[in-house]
Amino acid sequence: MSSSPVVPHHIAIVMDGNGRWATRRFLPRLAGHKQGVDSLRRCARACVQRGVSVLTVFAFSSENWNRPADEVSGLMELLAMALAREVPQLRADGVRLHFVGERAGLSSKVVEGLAQAEVATAHNTRLVLNVCFNYGGRWDIAQAAAALAASGEPITEASLHAAMGMAHVPDPDLVIRTGGEMRISNFLLWQAAYSELYFSDRLWPDFDEAALDEAIAAYAGRERRFGKTSEQILSAHPASVPG
């Protein structure tokens, strides 16, 4: 294998385990989510340093509305506080924010905060940080199909892809899930069709730079064939295939 690491262009992460992290420390679940924001900040900085171009994280799913009301309201307040605190530094670090998900049903304060964060970082180029908030993979496919049907445009793989919330970036090369669960939970169902999957037992607040490097190393050791044979990949890119 080449001595230089193979770094994914686009990493996507299901940030699981905040609540369990807090419970194990006899803390309220929201304390775990606050710690999770710190972990995301650390991860985004590490991605910039390692040459990752796109980081996509699952922050709040369509199904998370079913959680206890106090936890949901706390998460909304945490998002507002995180935007106010983190956006200036993200802007300085060259990170461009995109929020992907259904905004109908969110408070006007949250919607305005999301829009302002996107505008404030719109010209940054070092890392695209997609935050999937009030998002679900099935929702994304359904809303894209509905938009195409409403416009009268034929529904094809290409047109459907272009109508989705992640059309501005390439599909993820590597999807990571923390917290020990081995499922994707309605995350990037369309976009992750050929992504490499990596599952970590670490709870999200404990997922540090070393854990990220372990995931990237696992990715670098895999052969991505996209339906082709190993021989075809080897003949096309002899220096890039692990041996």
Side-chain angles (χ1 to χ4, degrees):
M1 185 183 298
S2 172
S3 58
S4 59
V6 178
V7 177
H9 178 84
H10 181 178
I11 294 177
I13 304 178
V14 180
M15 305 181 295
D16 192 21
N18 291 336
R20 282 175 286 159
W21 183 92
T23 299
R24 291 177 185 180
R25 289 160 176 78
F26 304 101
L27 297 170
R29 289 177 59 86
L30 193 59
H33 294 303
K34 290 179 180 178
Q35 195 70 27
V37 172
D38 294 339
S39 187
L40 175 55
R41 182 192 313 115
R42 186 170 61 234
C43 185
R45 186 175 297 119
C47 283
V48 170
Q49 294 168 349
R50 285 150 181 77
V52 176
S53 297
V54 183
L55 174 63
T56 299
V57 296
F58 205 3
F60 189 85
S61 75
S62 307
E63 293 76 28
N64 285 157
W65 291 105
N66 297 320
R67 292 189 174 188
D70 58 342
E71 182 175 351
V72 172
S73 62
L75 284 168
M76 294 300 162
E77 292 176 8
L78 178 60
L79 173 64
M81 289 188 297
L83 287 172
R85 186 181 68 183
E86 303 294 339
V87 168
Q89 188 59 52
L90 290 171
R91 181 171 54 192
D93 290 341
V95 177
R96 181 175 184 176
L97 275 167
H98 280 272
F99 292 93
V100 183
E102 177 61 74
R103 299 196 187 185
L106 299 177
S107 71
S108 58
K109 178 182 178 181
V110 168
V111 172
E112 183 179 352
L114 302 184
Q116 289 177 347
E118 289 179 332
V119 170
T121 61
H123 299 292
N124 288 344
T125 57
R126 294 190 72 189
L127 177 74
V128 175
L129 175 56
N130 299 305
V131 180
C132 293
F133 193 85
N134 197 23
Y135 169 91
R138 290 177 176 177
W139 163 85
D140 197 12
I141 296 170
Q143 66 83 25
L148 292 173
S151 67
E153 185 176 349
I155 298 178
T156 65
E157 284 194 22
S159 65
L160 198 60
H161 181 85
M164 288 188 184
M166 297 284 290
H168 60 287
V169 292
D171 290 343
D173 303 293
L174 173 64
V175 175
I176 299 169
R177 181 171 184 143
T178 64
E181 304 289 356
M182 300 181 72
R183 56 180 178 269
I184 57 175
S185 296
N186 199 20
F187 183 48
L188 303 181
L189 297 182
W190 177 275
Q191 296 84 355
Y194 273 100
S195 302
E196 296 297 321
L197 305 180
Y198 179 87
F199 299 98
S200 172
D201 288 332
R202 296 197 191 201
L203 303 178
W204 174 244
D206 295 326
F207 193 85
D208 56 13
E209 293 87 347
L212 178 66
D213 287 338
E214 289 174 7
I216 291 175
Y219 168 84
R222 298 183 188 180
E223 181 183 79
R224 307 191 73 206
R225 295 193 296 272
F226 299 99
K228 298 181 180 180
T229 66
S230 296
E231 290 73 18
Q232 286 176 299
I233 300 298
L234 183 61
S235 62
H237 305 286
S240 63
V241 177

